[in-house]
Amino acid sequence: MKFYKKLLPIAFAICLAVNFTGCTIGDKVVYFDTSSGYNTVFKIGDFKCSKKEALVYLLNEKNIYGSVDGVNLWSEDYDTDTMTSSIKDLTMEHLTRVYILNLYASEQEIELSESEKNACSDAAEEYYKSLNSAEKSFTKAKKKDIEKMYMRYALASKVYEELMNSVDEEVSEDEARVMEAFVLYVSDESTAETIQGMIDYGYTFERLASTYTELDSYQVTFARGEYPEEVDDVVFNLDTDEVSTAIAADGGYYFFQCLDKYNEELSEENKTVIIENRRKQVLEDIVSDLEDRYFSDMNTKLWESIDFPEDSSELTSASFFETLNNHF
């Protein structure tokens, strides 16, 4: 199992928009305050993220995402203040996910095996030896701290993999179906009635759509769920070349002419999208459930005070995640 590859989705799969007042998950918010503790960056339930751990992540995220095609984005030619803010946001999102999955593991009694723990220990020894004195001074992390961080990260990976393996990957052709169609939308009822009359009379639908639609484009490809349910109920029952009657939705009226009721290539691609959305939903459901049952807070003052030193030329470590991956 490649943890580095497996864990990258953890950083992006759950749609968390983290700021310094709250953590938005779907339509819910976990509010933070400043009661986490002097050296604790945030707390979720009884799990506390230390300043040391946050700095190790921050250091590595800085160097992993701080260059593009060999160009150092931390030079004076770029907006380093914005870069720092973005990296800190990414770090907080990453750490939050890892701790959420560890909280879930605790509830479900999921643990690392002895061989996995040994791998974490070996990885910690290797990574700690790779740090120079400036990096050790910046993070204040010792080898035992790194080992605990790896234990949490490895456990998060294990939970993530088990959750993803539980997702049903069977997708029917009808569920994945992507259609091609001409679409016409108008917001005025009388205009819709006029258009319906012209359709009944035999006007070419493409001409009507190109003339009357209030949308940016009158030719579209789409899967289920991209339009309101009222639209899907009608349009996905059309045969090729068939034209719908007016469909009331989105404060107006839609008309469709089916051009291809099953685009094979796009439908196959959509199966992957559906499975990925199922995976995201599994994680979002877990987060929402934990949010309902555990209070979370963040040491805002501490997190806002964290910054990179002016001369950070020696802070180059970027192998934290890769080192763990190499030991599994």
Side-chain angles (χ1 to χ4, degrees):
M1 175 171 57
K2 293 294 187 182
F3 273 170
Y4 185 61
K5 294 179 182 177
K6 290 289 185 183
L7 274 165
L8 282 179
I10 291 178
F12 304 104
I14 309 174
C15 296
L16 293 176
V18 175
N19 53 46
F20 296 123
T21 57
C23 174
T24 303
I25 306 164
D27 59 352
K28 299 182 178 181
V29 178
V30 178
Y31 289 99
F32 297 133
D33 62 23
T34 58
S35 63
S36 290
Y38 181 73
N39 283 312
T40 299
V41 176
F42 67 82
K43 176 182 177 182
I44 300 176
D46 292 330
F47 287 73
K48 297 180 180 180
C49 176
S50 69
K51 180 180 179 181
K52 293 178 183 179
E53 187 165 10
L55 289 175
V56 169
Y57 276 63
L58 189 63
L59 170 64
N60 281 268
E61 306 277 16
K62 168 186 179 291
N63 293 310
I64 291 172
Y65 299 104
S67 64
V68 177
D69 296 330
V71 177
N72 182 9
L73 302 181
W74 296 98
S75 69
E76 60 186 16
D77 297 330
Y78 299 93
D79 185 352
T80 55
D81 288 341
T82 299
M83 278 288 294
T84 298
S85 177
S86 297
I87 294 299
K88 288 181 73 174
D89 285 350
L90 177 63
T91 298
M92 183 54 58
E93 291 177 16
H94 203 168
L95 278 166
T96 302
R97 291 168 180 79
V98 169
Y99 271 78
I100 285 172
L101 290 175
N102 272 257
L103 179 56
Y104 179 81
S106 176
E107 286 197 339
Q108 300 299 316
E109 298 183 346
I110 302 171
E111 298 179 345
L112 295 176
S113 67
E114 286 303 313
S115 62
E116 290 167 339
K117 292 177 182 178
N118 290 336
C120 290
S121 180
D122 293 341
E125 183 173 0
E126 179 181 338
Y127 178 71
Y128 186 72
K129 286 181 179 179
S130 75
L131 297 175
N132 59 40
S133 58
E135 291 161 347
K136 290 177 180 177
S137 177
F138 175 70
T139 65
K140 301 294 191 297
K142 304 299 182 183
K143 187 177 76 170
K144 65 179 181 180
D145 298 315
I146 301 296
E147 185 173 345
K148 291 178 181 178
M149 296 175 202
Y150 275 154
M151 295 284 192
R152 275 187 286 274
Y153 209 81
L155 184 57
S157 175
K158 187 170 186 173
V159 170
Y160 179 82
E161 185 172 8
E162 288 188 11
L163 290 172
M164 294 307 99
N165 287 340
S166 71
V167 172
D168 182 7
E169 296 189 0
E170 290 294 324
V171 181
S172 69
E173 289 190 355
D174 188 58
E175 183 182 4
R177 183 152 62 100
V178 174
M179 291 185 62
E180 295 180 62
F182 289 136
V183 58
L184 193 166
Y185 172 84
V186 291
S187 54
D188 180 69
E189 183 177 3
S190 63
T191 303
E193 290 174 351
T194 299
I195 291 170
Q196 184 64 66
M198 288 189 286
I199 291 172
D200 294 340
Y201 188 76
Y203 276 70
T204 302
F205 187 84
E206 181 180 6
R207 182 179 177 183
L208 292 174
S210 62
T211 302
Y212 287 98
T213 191
E214 297 174 19
L215 303 174
D216 293 333
S217 175
Y218 68 87
Q219 186 167 352
V220 293
T221 58
F222 57 96
R224 293 183 185 275
E226 295 184 34
Y227 289 97
E229 185 177 353
E230 303 94 314
V231 171
D232 283 356
D233 289 344
V234 173
V235 176
F236 279 91
N237 285 305
L238 294 177
D239 288 323
T240 300
D241 295 329
E242 187 177 359
V243 178
S244 74
T245 55
I247 309 167
D250 287 338
Y253 300 88
Y254 283 98
F255 300 84
F256 284 84
Q257 181 179 28
C258 175
L259 301 177
D260 183 354
K261 68 178 184 179
Y262 185 81
N263 182 302
E264 185 173 356
E265 181 180 356
L266 294 180
S267 296
E268 283 300 313
E269 292 176 3
N270 191 40
K271 288 182 181 180
T272 302
V273 174
I274 291 172
I275 293 170
E276 187 59 32
N277 287 337
R278 289 177 184 175
R279 290 171 175 166
K280 289 179 181 179
Q281 190 61 52
V282 166
L283 293 173
E284 288 174 3
D285 289 345
I286 288 172
V287 172
S288 296
D289 176 60
L290 293 175
E291 173 207 336
D292 288 340
R293 295 185 290 109
Y294 293 95
F295 177 74
S296 304
D297 60 81
M298 179 173 177
N299 190 332
T300 308
K301 184 176 181 180
L302 173 61
W303 184 239
E304 289 183 339
S305 71
I306 292 175
D307 202 354
F308 298 109
E310 288 187 15
D311 181 11
S312 57
S313 58
E314 293 186 80
L315 302 180
T316 60
S317 177
S319 62
F320 178 79
F321 308 109
E322 185 176 7
T323 299
L324 180 61
N325 178 64
N326 291 339
H327 280 267
F328 282 81

